[in-house]
Amino acid sequence: MRGLLLLVAARAAEASSGAAVLLVGAAYDVDEARLRATKKFVVDAFGADETLVLLKGVHYNKNIYNEAEVRALRDLVKATLRPSFIDIRPGAELTAQYARNASRIGKCIWSRETSCLYRHSSSRNPLDLRIEAWWGVLQAAHGALTKREAIRGKAFDRVACVRADIEFTAPIRHATKLEPRYVYAASDPPDGVFLFGSRGSAERVLTTYKRVDALSLEGKCASLHHARFMYSWFLPCYAAKELYEQGVRIVADPQIHGKIRLHTGGGTPGMHLLEAHPPFTATSFLSSETYDASIHAPPDDGFSSELKCHGSNRRSNGYCGPW
């Protein structure tokens, strides 16, 4: 009996060690209180075995962190999150290598007649910077994740990817409570939090930069005709459609609670709750823990197969399809 209990305990320990948290993006004046909330409500609540931190030293007012500020932030992150991997650099140094192909990737996805988001040239001027910022940091996070997996000798089976500028106010769900065929997301803005029920789903999203760049090199941008809308800045419809075809559904998780400071031009400036926001909810709220393949992720919101660009980019953000 004792041997059986030890075996069960060993297997349980192995199962609980397969979770990782990725804290990514711009630092945006992250302080000790916010980091401690991330530790309590994300790292600990998720049951993470390891935490990987990849931050760009940028203040909310867009000023760049100086070296002293970067060192202070590194020390603060180490003290509060105790990460197994940390990479914090001033400004855009963290993602600089991804600027090289950003223009080619942007043209592949948006510079077509069937593209709605950023369809006006004046809106596309900063497109290269957006590609580098959104998908570059995810690609860097994927590189860090795979290196940690090589060191530990096995892959993580559950991954949480969260932005650094969120102040969490309640615990997210534990890694063992994730349905492998779901990607759990915050409701609005939908790019604040992603909980991946499987390593494969995380791979699809984190490597968007590399995979779209490969399509552009191979002259296969036409395969992105369903990418005319975006689910969120971190998850284009191209990736959402791939997940959908593999049986993976994206659900808005009512257990994700927090506050995020929005920028001017990105909705109403000020603190914003990661709560239900019906006009912009990008997918169905999770109503049952039982997997439901009928969930369309995200809903097409009545768009037909014909090109229909809504007058507001904000309205276009959050909707994919129809497929």
Side-chain angles (χ1 to χ4, degrees):
M1 177 61 72
R2 185 173 181 274
L4 178 59
L5 291 176
L6 290 175
L7 178 60
V8 171
R11 288 181 176 176
E14 181 179 358
S16 64
S17 69
V21 168
L22 305 176
L23 185 69
V24 304
Y28 286 152
D29 304 317
V30 63
D31 56 15
E32 182 176 353
R34 196 191 310 170
L35 288 173
R36 290 198 179 281
T38 300
K39 177 66 166 62
K40 177 181 179 180
F41 295 132
V42 177
V43 176
D44 293 344
F46 194 60
D49 181 58
E50 296 194 26
T51 303
L52 291 73
V53 179
L54 297 94
L55 299 181
K56 299 195 290 185
V58 180
H59 290 286
Y60 184 77
N61 63 9
K62 300 303 179 66
N63 289 339
I64 306 302
Y65 279 44
N66 58 40
E67 288 296 339
E69 290 174 319
V70 170
R71 286 195 298 270
L73 180 56
R74 285 198 192 106
D75 291 341
L76 183 58
V77 168
K78 289 179 181 178
T80 53
L81 298 181
R82 297 189 291 276
S84 58
F85 177 89
I86 183 171
D87 192 352
I88 304 176
R89 307 184 204 177
E93 287 185 18
L94 182 67
T95 56
Q97 63 177 308
Y98 301 107
R100 182 174 63 252
N101 301 332
S103 178
R104 183 170 66 212
I105 292 173
K107 291 178 181 178
C108 188
I109 284 197
W110 286 302
S111 296
R112 294 170 292 104
E113 293 182 357
T114 55
S115 175
C116 284
L117 197 61
Y118 296 115
R119 61 191 180 279
H120 303 299
S121 59
S122 60
S123 300
R124 291 183 178 181
N125 290 335
L127 182 58
D128 293 2
L129 295 178
R130 294 177 185 274
I131 293 292
E132 174 192 342
W134 304 334
W135 301 339
V137 73
L138 295 185
Q139 192 70 50
H142 177 261
L145 186 68
T146 55
K147 288 179 181 178
R148 288 303 307 169
E149 290 173 331
I151 292 173
R152 71 198 299 264
K154 59 181 177 179
F156 295 101
D157 54 7
R158 302 288 190 275
V159 178
C161 185
V162 303
R163 280 169 42 169
D165 56 339
I166 297 175
E167 179 184 344
F168 289 90
T169 56
I172 64 173
R173 65 180 62 233
H174 195 274
T176 58
K177 300 298 182 181
L178 300 184
E179 158 60 52
R181 293 164 293 180
Y182 278 161
V183 173
Y184 302 78
S187 60
D188 180 35
D191 58 350
V193 182
F194 288 115
L195 309 180
F196 297 101
S198 73
R199 179 64 171 78
S201 295
E203 180 95 13
R204 283 289 174 182
V205 176
L206 296 177
T207 60
T208 296
Y209 180 100
K210 181 178 180 180
R211 291 185 299 107
V212 176
D213 191 34
L215 290 177
S216 66
L217 288 172
E218 297 168 3
K220 297 181 179 179
C221 294
S223 64
L224 301 176
H225 66 285
H226 287 288
R228 62 186 189 211
F229 305 114
M230 290 188 68
Y231 174 77
S232 78
W233 306 135
F234 282 166
L235 178 57
C237 290
Y238 163 60
K241 182 174 183 290
E242 284 191 327
L243 292 173
Y244 186 85
E245 291 174 342
Q246 295 174 356
V248 178
R249 304 294 183 260
I250 303 171
V251 293
D253 189 352
Q255 291 188 30
I256 297 175
H257 297 276
K259 297 182 291 184
I260 188 169
R261 187 181 181 189
L262 294 183
H263 293 275
T264 301
T268 304
M271 296 305 295
H272 182 79
L273 297 179
L274 296 178
E275 308 285 353
H277 195 202
F280 299 128
T281 296
T283 186
S284 302
F285 268 93
L286 186 67
S287 58
S288 172
E289 298 299 320
T290 303
Y291 174 73
D292 182 1
S294 68
I295 295 176
H296 189 290
D300 60 32
D301 193 40
F303 286 106
S304 72
S305 58
E306 298 177 359
L307 176 64
K308 289 187 178 181
C309 291
H310 194 276
S312 168
N313 278 339
R314 172 67 169 164
R315 181 60 170 167
S316 295
N317 178 36
Y319 296 92
C320 297
W323 297 330

